[in-house]
Amino acid sequence: MTLTIGLTHYLVVAALLFSLGLVCVLGRRNAIGLLMGIEMILNSANINLVAFAHYIVHDITGQVFALFVIVLAAAEAAIAMAIVLSIFRSFKQIDVTTTVELKE
Amino acid sequence: MMESTILTWIIFLPLIAIPIILAVPEEKKRAIRLIATLASALPLLLGIYLLIIFDSSNTGIQFQHHFIWIRSFNIEYFVGVDGLSILLVFLTALITFIAAIASWGIDRKIRGYFSLFLLLETGMLGTFCALDFFLFYVFWEVMLLPMYFLIGIWGGPRKEYAAIKFFLYTLFGSLLMLVALLALYFNSNPTTLIDGTPAEHTFNIVKLIQENDFSTAAPLLGFEFTKIIFVLLFIGFAIKIPMVPFHTWLPDAHVEAPTPISVILAGILLKMGGYGILRINFGILPEATIWAAPAMALLGGISIVYAAFVCMAQKDLKKLIAYSSVSHMGFVLLGMAAFTNQGITGAVLQMWTHGLISPMLFLLAGVIYDRAHHREIDGFGGLAYQMPEYTGVLGLAFMASLGLPGLAGFISEILVFLGAFPVYRVITIFSALTLIITAAYYLWALQRMFLGKLNDKYSNLPDLTWRERFTLYPLGVLIVILGIYPIPTLNLITTTLVSMIQNFRV
Amino acid sequence: MQQNLTVQWLWLIPALPLFGALINGLFGLKIYRRYGEQPVHSIAIFFPAASFIITLIYFIQLIQQPAEFRQLLCYLFDWIRIGSFSIPMSFWFDPLSAAMTLMITFVGTLIHIYSIGYMHKDPGYWRFFAYMNLFMFSMLTLVLGDNFLLMFVGWEGVGLCSYLLISFWFQDLNNARAGMKAFITNRVGDFGFTLGILALLWALGGNWLDSQYTVLYPERLTLVFREIEKFAPLLVDQKIWGIAVPTLVCLLFFWGATAKSAQIPLYVWLPDAMAGPTPVSALIHAATMVTAGVYMIARLNFLFALSATAMTVVAVVGALTALFAATIGLFQFDIKKVLAYSTISQLGFMFLGVGVGAFGVGIFHLLTHAFFKACLFLGAGSVIHAMHHAYQQMNNHHNDPQDMRNMGGLGKQMPITRWTYLAACAAIAGFPLMSGFFSKDEILWKTFSNSNTLISGKILWVMAATAAILTAFYMFRSYFMTFSGTFRGGQATEVHLHESPATITWVLRILGVLSILGGIIGLPHLWHLPNLLEGWFEPVFESVSDLLNWHEYSLTAEWTLMILSIIIALTGFGFAYILFKDARSRIPVRFKGMFPGLYRLAFNKYYIDELYQSTLINGSIIFSKICGWVDTYIIDGLVNLVAFFGRVFSWLNGLHDTYVIDGAVNGLAYVSGKFGQSIRRIQTGRIQTYIYVLLGGGLFLILVRFIL
């Protein structure tokens, strides 16, 4: 165990965050919770990108990519919210296990 | 005249009339009947003309009409007549004409009836004239389907059963014929078609007879070629003769068929079998014919006597007459199998005389059926009082059928006996028993129906109408005249038949 | 050798009655309705009479010829011709056929005349005469035909006419049955006759070796009598199935004759034939048709003479029949039945005559028999006519006018009938100087002295003589029962009896005279008188005269036999006189009581009819029913069985098609559906599931990458 915070630490954090996000996505019933999970997954990817950019590539490609991802995540979150709102209007609830009309 | 289109006209004139009939509306019954009768009268007139100009001393084919039909299979349209077929062609035309007149009694769907009738006539005339085996087969099949409908639609209570029985039974025979036909084709020698093109094989019957010797052909299914082909063809024709034991379709077909169709069936269709054997089996497969002759004679003899006994047991007049047809056609087989001049002349003459007598009998059965709506022999009695003219004509027909000397039937029967005796003594002696049995069943039927006290139910039956007279008297007169003066008919056939038999002089 | 003279109009002899038959047959009803009986019978009599005249003319022409030329041939045309084989339509007038034709036309015309009176007022008048004329045509064709087939036309034709005339009053089915019996029995004989023709023709033309026939002499293939006569001797050594050809062929022809001429075993139709009108019985069943068999044998003398076996058979059957029938005739009550059995018996005599080789004598008896038997029948008809008339006047419908027990004393009312009947009786019994005496005595003598049969002529003579006594006896019995004594039917009926009209009585007179005087043509040599008939027939029978042998006996023997014949006749007469004159004697009744069994046996014709019925006839009917059953249930059953199997097979095919093939198709669809259904479950609509799957798939891929 070293005291310096290296790449590995960031990767582990990102992986943990990813798993947590995955768990949220797979395990939560609430649609907004699910979306939060997606945000977490995206952010874990961001961490990975930045970490790799700093420690391996030594330029700012990763950071710029991460900025893009943030913007896109925001846009996607907005749309996802809109969809959730729309679902709420139809189903009066946003429980993903019960709103399964598409299965046919 | 060696070349002529007259036969084609004779064959196809009835066919041409069919669309005309179909165009006439169903209500105009008179018009339909007249057109149809005219359409069957024309071949008769042409047939009479043909008889007059036929050259009796020529043993070859006359009035040929020969051209290529389906080149890729070497099938030609080849029609012609010789001594064997001329009389049968004329008989066909004559009996169809009489049947057409008798058909005026049919009341429903007469357009369909007469169309099928004329189609049948074309088929029959074509079969007797065809000299290309494939063409022969086509015409043969053309006869089947109209008969099926004619029996099945306009027939009696069990018409469907009778029609399908007739159809399938004869079709079975035709299939055997087809196999044989193809086998002969593929084993035939190369020759040329009418326009000179060379052909690998041929269906031409004349060529098959004259230029082909099938005794050297390869065995088929393990049997000697000529023998198995003979058997296949023979069964096909024997069904039509009809020969015991392949005869059981006939009583049902006759009983259920309407009168004019019975007339055609008995008068013409039954002759196809005998004709086929003579034209094809005798001509193309002579060695096999010699081999099979004793069996043919035996079966002929059995047909003659067995069928006569069955006649005695019948209660329905039409069935009795049907079985008597089986009995009489046995003579044809017996006469053929003997290979003597008298025998074969008797056989062909029997076809002709039976072709006159049998229609007369069926017309007479139809007369009483039209009046009383049944044909139970025991259901009548004393009819001679009520219908003396009918009794007289029927008596004449019965006498002709039992072979009373002086009438036409005797000549053919005695010729068959004379011809068959030297070769098949025992069978001929056995067959001669029919003299007694035939007299017994006819007289017994006559007695039960016409003699004794008049059955009160029938004290109002009318005697013969003019239409019935018109169909019956010509036949009757012919039968009487031919009994005394058969020479014209004999002259027509003997030259060809005698030369046909020459090959069989063992 | 014999020469033929060609003549042109001989064919008119049979043709004219045919023409008459056609006119009356086709138009008779109309003529009868419009103009009555006269034109009908005038036509019907004109034609046979014309035939008679023409026959006479030709007969005279024949007499004028020297013996070798006494044959007239009339060739019309070829009836059947196939290559070199031909059967001509030609008629031949030689001494034999001339004698027959004269008798047939003469007696025939007489009987036609008789029928005018007898059939008066019968509704079938025109039909009767049409049939009678048709019969004349057939019979004349039979005797004038120059070949077997033409003779056969006549042979069967007379059978047909016999049928038509026996069942003339067909309202009573018994008459119809009698007619049918006659026709069928005749056909049984024709079966044999036809076989005889077949065997003869081919035996002439070649022979059989181990069942293989070869034509050796095509020029000998003929059925013309005079040509066969030339070739006949060549047949002697030929055999068919081990039997000499002449024997076989003659036996077959004789078989035909037993039917036509009512001999044992095919005589059974003749007594029943009495159901027909009496003129029919007289013409057909006495004078002409039944004699055809005798004529046939005489015509074929050249064949029969070659076979001692056949001749013996003929003679024995003839003698047996003569005796047998006579015993039956003894006890019959129906006058016509008596005459019927007497006919059978006399025919037996004729066959005996030709059987021993005395062909001409057999024909002589045929001719005399025609006269006296026709006279007897017509006389009986006259009696029956009178009785019938009397019964009608008395409204008596149940007494039989033919039963002699109802008669008696008719001689008073019907003198002409009575005397002619008596004359004919005397003739048939063989009273000296009557026609029957000469012919019968000659037959007896020839039988006695013959050495052509394998059985001694003496035995045959005894049988024949016995039959002769019996004949004399029962014939006079019938005479006495009918004409002598007092009428047994009561005075009231007797008043209505009277003699028959002139058309009947004149015919009886003529025939009666002929019965008495007819013997002139055949006077015996014994009396040093010329035998005209023998000389007349000489050309016909001379060819066989060397083949026939006769014992030489002294004149004493011949005279003895002749006197015996006379004694026979007188004895029979005497017994009948004692027993039946005026019905005084009680012996007949007592006789019945003494031998009841024998009496019943004879009276019931020895139950032969019943025997035939139960064996042959019922047997045939049963056999035909069996055949019918076999045909419907076995042969057709097989066909229907094939059809049934066809239907079963196609039903199975249908099942196969529906369940197996279609099943496969449906199964495929089902499987696809089920598969689809199961796959569908992937679409849960739940995002989380999809992400699980994504993850899982991704992990799987990574794992795979690491492993491989």
Side-chain angles (χ1 to χ4, degrees):
Chain A
M1 174 133 121
T2 60
L3 284 169
T4 32
I5 306 231
L7 177 62
T8 322
H9 302 96
Y10 284 101
L11 293 183
V12 167
V13 168
L16 278 172
L17 194 57
F18 182 85
S19 333
L20 282 173
L22 199 60
V23 166
C24 262
V25 167
L26 292 175
R28 293 203 71 103
R29 290 173 113 200
N30 198 308
I32 299 191
L34 194 143
L35 287 170
M36 288 183 198
I38 292 177
E39 287 300 314
M40 283 204 274
I41 291 173
L42 285 167
N43 281 311
S44 78
N46 275 344
I47 296 174
N48 261 345
L49 280 166
V50 170
F52 276 114
H54 185 259
Y55 283 103
I56 304 295
V57 184
H58 296 300
D59 69 13
I60 57 170
T61 319
Q63 282 124 358
V64 173
F65 207 145
L67 278 173
F68 271 103
V69 170
I70 290 167
V71 170
L72 283 169
E76 169 262 322
I79 296 171
M81 283 297 165
I83 294 173
V84 168
L85 263 171
S86 177
I87 288 176
F88 180 71
R89 277 207 210 113
S90 315
F91 288 94
K92 298 285 179 248
Q93 39 133 11
I94 49 176
D95 184 326
V96 292
T97 54
T98 55
T99 58
V100 287
E101 301 272 297
L102 267 178
K103 80 171 178 207
E104 302 306 302
Chain B
M1 260 183 267
M2 288 298 283
E3 296 275 327
S4 168
T5 57
I6 189 171
L7 284 175
T8 309
W9 279 109
I10 293 180
I11 297 173
F12 288 105
L13 269 169
L15 197 67
I16 296 174
I18 295 181
I20 304 177
I21 288 185
L22 289 174
V24 176
E26 178 74 21
E27 313 81 57
K28 290 210 163 58
K29 296 197 171 161
R30 194 110 193 244
I32 299 173
R33 289 173 178 148
L34 277 171
I35 298 174
T37 312
L38 185 67
S40 63
L42 288 172
L44 177 61
L45 292 169
L46 287 174
I48 296 176
Y49 173 65
L50 203 65
L51 280 182
I52 298 172
I53 58 178
F54 184 80
D55 177 8
S56 307
S57 55
N58 186 346
T59 64
I61 311 285
Q62 300 178 38
F63 308 114
Q64 298 180 33
H65 191 195
H66 197 168
F67 55 83
I68 300 195
W69 182 20
I70 306 176
R71 188 177 290 276
S72 38
F73 292 108
N74 301 324
I75 298 172
E76 301 172 296
Y77 177 86
F78 182 16
V79 294
V81 286
D82 64 353
L84 174 59
S85 45
I86 181 78
L87 212 51
L88 295 169
V89 169
F90 177 68
L91 180 70
T92 309
L94 175 66
I95 298 298
T96 325
F97 175 66
I98 292 190
I101 298 175
S103 298
W104 283 50
I106 304 278
D107 233 8
R108 28 171 212 122
K109 305 198 201 34
I110 56 176
R111 269 190 312 180
Y113 176 88
F114 278 110
S115 312
L116 289 165
F117 185 90
L118 292 170
L119 182 61
L120 181 64
E121 181 170 6
T122 297
M124 296 189 292
L125 288 165
T127 315
F128 282 126
C129 298
L131 287 167
D132 177 288
F133 209 159
F134 193 83
L135 185 67
F136 177 86
Y137 187 75
V138 168
F139 277 123
W140 184 276
E141 295 298 302
V142 165
M143 291 193 296
L144 282 192
L145 206 56
M147 278 302 286
Y148 171 71
F149 285 115
L150 286 166
I151 299 178
I153 301 181
W154 288 273
R158 294 206 313 162
K159 51 190 193 246
E160 298 89 359
Y161 169 74
I164 200 119
K165 191 173 182 181
F166 162 82
F167 185 72
L168 288 179
Y169 213 142
T170 354
L171 191 65
F172 170 71
S174 308
L175 286 174
L176 295 178
M177 203 201 309
L178 182 63
V179 171
L181 156 67
L182 292 171
L184 284 173
Y185 174 73
F186 286 111
N187 277 289
S188 57
N189 298 330
T191 179
T192 53
L193 299 178
I194 188 68
D195 62 350
T197 48
E200 197 42 40
H201 301 295
T202 181
F203 283 107
N204 186 325
I205 294 181
V206 177
K207 290 207 153 73
L208 284 172
I209 294 176
Q210 291 171 345
E211 298 173 10
N212 283 277
D213 178 12
F214 291 99
S215 52
T216 52
L220 190 64
L221 301 175
F223 294 102
E224 194 181 321
F225 184 79
T226 50
K227 292 196 177 135
I228 190 169
I229 298 295
F230 183 90
V231 170
L232 288 172
L233 286 169
F234 184 72
I235 296 181
F237 291 129
I239 293 176
K240 268 280 209 232
I241 289 179
M243 183 185 81
V244 173
F246 301 121
H247 64 286
T248 51
W249 58 271
L250 187 70
D252 287 306
H254 262 133
V255 168
E256 303 302 328
T259 306
I261 302 304
S262 281
V263 164
I264 291 189
L265 181 56
I268 308 163
L269 286 168
L270 297 188
K271 317 300 177 272
M272 301 277 170
Y275 170 76
I277 297 181
L278 282 171
R279 174 68 76 206
I280 295 175
N281 289 37
F282 269 58
I284 305 180
L285 304 162
E287 314 83 14
T289 310
I290 296 177
W291 162 74
M296 287 206 296
L298 181 65
L299 287 166
I302 293 177
S303 285
I304 296 175
V305 178
Y306 169 77
F309 270 113
V310 178
C311 277
M312 265 222 285
Q314 294 308 317
K315 295 194 174 29
D316 179 327
L317 180 67
K318 218 172 173 190
K319 218 168 186 179
L320 186 148
I321 301 175
Y323 276 109
S324 96
S325 280
V326 179
S327 180
H328 282 84
M329 294 314 282
F331 276 97
V332 176
L333 262 181
L334 182 60
M336 271 197 256
F339 303 128
T340 52
N341 285 349
Q342 292 87 349
I344 195 167
T345 310
V348 177
L349 198 67
Q350 174 78 341
M351 288 198 253
W352 164 244
T353 55
H354 180 262
L356 292 175
I357 296 172
S358 199
M360 203 171 165
L361 287 169
F362 280 107
L363 286 169
L364 289 163
V367 166
I368 197 70
Y369 183 71
D370 284 340
R371 310 268 194 285
H373 300 294
H374 77 88
R375 291 177 298 253
E376 293 284 309
I377 298 178
D378 292 307
F380 296 104
L383 283 177
Y385 283 110
Q386 194 54 34
M387 309 166 73
E389 191 180 353
Y390 174 68
T391 312
V393 178
L394 186 122
L396 177 73
F398 273 4
M399 289 298 136
S401 190
L402 62 84
L404 191 75
L407 300 175
F410 170 69
I411 311 272
S412 47
E413 281 188 16
I414 198 73
L415 279 174
V416 169
F417 280 140
L418 279 171
F421 185 77
V423 191
Y424 303 110
R425 283 173 296 182
V426 179
I427 298 179
T428 311
I429 293 174
F430 175 66
S431 306
L433 285 173
T434 190
L435 286 171
I436 308 170
I437 308 166
T438 311
Y441 66 72
Y442 273 134
L443 285 188
W444 196 22
L446 197 71
Q447 182 181 300
R448 287 182 288 170
M449 283 180 77
F450 294 96
L451 307 181
K453 286 223 167 325
L454 179 60
N455 196 327
D456 286 319
K457 266 195 286 175
Y458 303 117
S459 44
N460 290 321
L461 291 182
D463 211 336
L464 295 176
T465 65
W466 275 105
R467 185 163 51 83
E468 288 159 350
R469 287 199 186 112
F470 193 68
T471 54
L472 288 167
Y473 279 116
L475 291 173
V477 167
L478 264 177
I479 291 171
V480 172
I481 293 180
L482 285 172
I484 304 174
Y485 192 57
I487 284 288
T489 40
L490 285 173
N491 282 344
L492 282 170
I493 60 179
T494 43
T495 325
T496 313
L497 293 177
V498 167
S499 78
M500 203 190 262
I501 284 295
Q502 295 288 46
N503 311 337
F504 293 91
R505 283 285 138 74
V506 186
Chain C
M1 197 48 235
Q2 306 286 353
Q3 291 279 16
N4 289 323
L5 277 171
T6 323
V7 290
Q8 268 226 304
W9 301 110
L10 199 65
W11 63 277
L12 279 179
I13 300 180
L16 284 171
L18 177 64
F19 196 55
L22 280 171
I23 298 181
N24 266 330
L26 294 172
F27 308 114
L29 183 60
K30 295 199 187 70
I31 299 176
Y32 181 62
R33 284 211 184 120
R34 242 216 277 159
Y35 302 108
E37 296 181 349
Q38 173 119 26
V40 175
H41 67 238
S42 305
I43 296 172
I45 292 173
F46 169 73
F47 287 105
S51 286
F52 175 62
I53 308 279
I54 299 182
T55 311
L56 263 181
I57 296 174
Y58 279 120
F59 179 70
I60 295 170
Q61 195 176 351
L62 212 56
I63 296 181
Q64 290 168 333
Q65 305 296 330
E68 314 85 61
F69 287 92
R70 280 205 192 127
Q71 290 155 126
L72 305 176
L73 180 64
C74 175
Y75 167 80
L76 290 177
F77 50 81
D78 269 351
W79 188 20
I80 299 176
R81 186 179 58 238
I82 305 170
S84 58
F85 175 74
S86 79
I87 311 249
M89 176 78 72
S90 53
F91 298 100
W92 196 43
F93 200 67
D94 77 333
L96 179 59
S97 54
M100 294 290 295
T101 313
L102 271 175
M103 182 270 284
I104 296 168
T105 47
F106 184 64
V107 175
T109 312
L110 282 178
I111 296 182
H112 275 72
I113 297 175
Y114 176 95
S115 306
I116 300 176
Y118 194 83
M119 299 300 290
H120 180 55
K121 286 206 244 165
D122 189 302
Y125 199 76
W126 59 277
R127 218 163 33 98
F128 182 81
F129 281 105
Y131 293 157
M132 290 287 272
N133 272 6
L134 189 66
F135 172 80
M136 293 293 285
F137 156 71
S138 303
M139 189 71 205
L140 289 165
T141 308
L142 199 160
V143 299
L144 286 170
D146 86 330
N147 61 73
F148 268 105
L149 285 195
L150 199 50
M151 178 197 245
F152 196 59
V153 171
W155 187 270
E156 290 245 30
V158 296
L160 172 69
C161 296
S162 175
Y163 166 72
L164 291 171
L165 285 163
I166 294 173
S167 42
F168 185 70
W169 290 310
F170 56 79
Q171 212 169 1
D172 182 354
L173 216 49
N174 285 322
N175 298 340
R177 289 200 192 99
M180 189 167 140
K181 186 173 182 178
F183 194 81
I184 306 289
T185 317
N186 264 277
R187 275 288 201 160
V188 175
D190 296 340
F191 166 71
F193 194 83
T194 309
L195 291 178
I197 295 178
L198 303 179
L200 179 62
L201 179 72
W202 294 110
L204 282 170
N207 61 31
W208 287 269
L209 268 172
D210 305 318
S211 301
Q212 183 81 314
Y213 180 80
T214 17
V215 177
L216 296 169
Y217 318 106
E219 69 278 4
R220 291 196 208 156
L221 284 173
T222 177
L223 286 174
V224 178
F225 294 128
R226 51 190 189 282
E227 292 175 19
I228 298 178
E229 186 169 3
K230 276 188 283 181
F231 303 130
L234 302 160
L235 289 172
V236 172
D237 297 313
Q238 267 194 287
K239 287 192 198 295
I240 299 180
W241 289 317
I243 311 175
V245 167
T247 309
L248 179 67
V249 165
C250 289
L251 285 176
L252 286 169
F253 288 137
F254 182 59
W255 176 252
T258 55
K260 190 66 67 189
S261 302
Q263 298 294 289
I264 294 173
L266 296 173
Y267 65 93
V268 289
W269 61 274
L270 191 57
D272 289 41
M274 296 299 112
T278 310
V280 172
S281 308
L283 181 61
I284 299 184
H285 306 127
T288 47
M289 169 173 146
V290 292
T291 54
V294 184
Y295 164 76
M296 187 260 294
I297 296 186
R299 172 58 77 210
L300 298 174
N301 58 79
F302 46 84
L303 274 177
F304 277 87
L306 294 171
S307 164
T309 319
M311 288 183 75
T312 312
V313 170
V314 173
V316 168
V317 170
L320 259 175
T321 310
L323 189 52
F324 176 77
T327 58
I328 303 180
L330 285 176
F331 301 112
Q332 297 299 315
F333 286 119
D334 184 325
I335 191 172
K336 283 183 76 174
K337 287 261 162 60
V338 174
L339 294 176
Y341 285 106
S342 117
T343 305
I344 299 177
S345 184
Q346 294 305 304
L347 287 165
F349 269 96
M350 292 178 222
F351 278 106
L352 179 61
V354 295
V356 299
F359 298 106
V361 183
I363 300 288
F364 182 30
H365 196 57
L366 192 161
L367 296 170
T368 58
H369 175 265
F371 299 139
F372 57 69
K373 192 46 70 61
C375 187
L376 284 167
F377 263 113
L378 295 181
S382 174
V383 165
I384 294 170
H385 191 75
M387 295 282 288
H388 191 75
H389 176 76
Y391 281 154
Q392 271 192 323
Q393 299 292 87
M394 299 287 293
N395 268 316
N396 183 338
H397 293 292
H398 73 272
N399 273 17
D400 186 2
Q402 296 180 195
D403 193 330
M404 293 191 293
R405 294 174 291 190
N406 294 335
M407 302 179 191
L410 290 179
K412 270 187 289 187
Q413 275 83 6
M414 311 177 70
I416 303 172
T417 310
R418 177 242 190 116
W419 289 113
T420 51
Y421 195 88
L422 180 62
C425 265
I428 196 174
F431 261 52
L433 300 182
M434 298 283 158
S435 61
F437 164 71
F438 291 114
S439 56
K440 196 183 284 197
D441 176 66
E442 190 74 17
I443 289 184
L444 286 171
W445 170 245
K446 289 285 187 202
T447 306
F448 188 83
S449 63
N450 101 88
S451 70
N452 300 311
T453 52
L454 303 169
I455 293 188
S456 164
K458 325 290 189 275
I459 302 178
L460 294 171
W461 183 91
V462 169
M463 289 164 79
T466 318
I469 297 186
L470 295 176
T471 305
F473 174 71
Y474 68 70
M475 286 311 301
F476 276 105
R477 166 179 175 263
S478 76
Y479 170 75
F480 287 123
M481 279 182 84
T482 311
F483 293 103
S484 76
T486 45
F487 184 66
R488 291 182 280 277
Q491 274 223 312
T493 319
E494 194 175 358
V495 176
H496 295 289
L497 293 169
H498 56 75
E499 184 58 271
S500 299
T503 48
I504 290 183
T505 52
W506 272 105
V507 171
L508 288 174
R509 275 188 259 244
I510 297 175
L511 288 170
V513 165
L514 280 169
S515 304
I516 301 174
L517 300 177
I520 286 184
I521 53 175
L523 297 169
H525 294 293
L526 200 56
W527 298 6
H528 304 290
L529 292 166
N531 191 327
L532 295 167
L533 203 60
E534 194 177 335
W536 177 248
F537 284 146
E538 196 182 322
V540 184
F541 302 125
E542 63 175 356
S543 58
V544 297
S545 50
D546 354 317
L547 291 166
L548 300 170
N549 301 309
W550 307 96
H551 290 302
E552 286 296 326
Y553 286 116
S554 61
L555 281 175
T556 332
E558 207 172 336
W559 272 106
T560 317
L561 249 54
M562 187 174 281
I563 299 193
L564 269 175
S565 300
I566 300 178
I567 295 178
I568 286 171
L570 292 173
T571 317
F573 168 75
F575 271 110
Y577 187 93
I578 298 171
L579 293 176
F580 292 103
K581 174 103 170 64
D582 302 331
R584 276 178 310 208
S585 166
R586 303 213 53 81
I587 298 182
V589 185
R590 272 200 265 153
F591 181 84
K592 244 195 290 182
M594 284 198 287
F595 305 102
L598 272 177
Y599 172 78
R600 257 209 312 276
L601 194 62
F603 184 68
N604 286 311
K605 312 164 281 164
Y606 301 97
Y607 299 106
I608 298 283
D609 278 299
E610 289 74 7
L611 180 70
Y612 283 167
Q613 178 75 31
S614 57
T615 51
L616 295 170
I617 297 174
N618 288 350
S620 303
I621 295 181
I622 293 175
F623 185 66
S624 76
K625 290 211 160 57
I626 294 177
C627 284
W629 183 88
V630 163
D631 204 74
T632 315
Y633 292 104
I634 298 189
I635 300 185
D636 212 22
L638 274 172
V639 173
N640 286 334
L641 196 67
V642 168
F644 174 71
F645 278 127
R647 280 207 311 280
V648 166
F649 187 64
S650 56
W651 174 78
L652 283 173
N653 266 325
L655 275 184
H656 179 260
D657 199 61
T658 318
Y659 293 108
V660 176
I661 297 179
D662 221 27
V665 172
N666 289 337
L668 196 65
Y670 179 75
V671 166
S672 308
K674 278 278 174 271
F675 184 67
Q677 269 194 335
S678 51
I679 297 285
R680 181 191 60 76
R681 263 190 273 237
I682 299 177
Q683 302 288 343
T684 56
R686 290 212 254 150
I687 308 166
Q688 279 138 339
T689 323
Y690 298 152
I691 301 182
Y692 271 124
V693 171
L694 256 169
L695 217 56
L699 278 171
F700 178 70
L701 280 171
I702 294 170
L703 238 90
V704 163
R705 181 134 213 299
F706 268 116
I707 293 175
L708 293 176

